[in-house]
Amino acid sequence: MTSYIAHHTKKKQILARKEAALRRLIAANAPAAKLVAAAESVREARVRVLNVHRSLIVPDGDVVDLYTKIDSEIAKVSSTSLATILAEYGHKNLASSGTSNLNIRFSRSALVPVPAAKTGHQRVPAEITNPKTKL
């Protein structure tokens, strides 16, 4: 019996809070730096929720397609531009706030450009792909 039971709904609740905070910042016409930080935190929270969905897959039988589908969704969310996220939540005037050039990824702590992570197909461990292998 495990001593820790994961509370998966917490990630969804955190995502909802971060989305609400982004909506409030957009409604209050917050500075571009705050909008960028909030949009980045929403993107990171979305990836965490998808990782929870991935962790809930029971490795029984042929689940490679499920892993591939969720991994491609994670890559898609990770590569979403900040301008796209801001537009999803109703931010209309990107040029006046200085956020029109948000196709690059930003570090949350320093707000400086960082190289984007490699996206692509991740290998599934042999224990998962080969049902005859004992876990």
Side-chain angles (χ1 to χ4, degrees):
M1 183 154 184
T2 62
S3 62
Y4 173 76
I5 298 175
H7 184 55
H8 297 298
T9 58
K10 187 184 257 186
K11 302 287 185 198
K12 294 176 186 177
Q13 293 168 349
I14 291 171
L15 174 61
R17 276 198 308 263
K18 291 182 186 272
E19 289 173 336
L22 179 58
R23 284 189 188 98
R24 281 192 301 274
L25 287 173
I26 290 172
N29 290 326
K34 287 188 177 185
L35 290 174
V36 168
E40 179 70 26
S41 67
V42 166
R43 178 170 53 194
E44 291 171 359
R46 286 179 178 176
V47 170
R48 286 187 193 108
V49 168
L50 289 171
N51 283 330
V52 164
H53 288 297
R54 189 179 194 285
S55 70
L56 293 175
I57 296 174
V58 177
D60 183 32
D62 188 26
V63 294
V64 177
D65 292 336
L66 291 174
Y67 282 119
T68 305
K69 181 179 175 183
I70 291 179
D71 288 342
S72 66
E73 186 67 24
I74 290 171
K76 179 180 158 190
V77 169
S78 296
S79 65
T80 303
S81 70
L82 298 178
T84 304
I85 293 172
L86 288 170
E88 281 179 34
Y89 292 97
H91 194 265
K92 297 185 189 313
N93 196 359
L94 295 174
S96 68
S97 66
T99 56
S100 61
N101 214 5
L102 293 177
N103 289 330
I104 55 177
R105 295 175 57 94
F106 285 91
S107 167
R108 247 179 112 191
S109 59
L111 291 179
V112 294
V114 295
K118 288 170 117 179
T119 58
H121 182 69
Q122 296 177 350
R123 292 185 52 182
V124 178
E127 296 86 17
I128 297 170
T129 58
N130 187 357
K132 294 179 182 176
T133 305
K134 291 184 181 180
L135 295 177

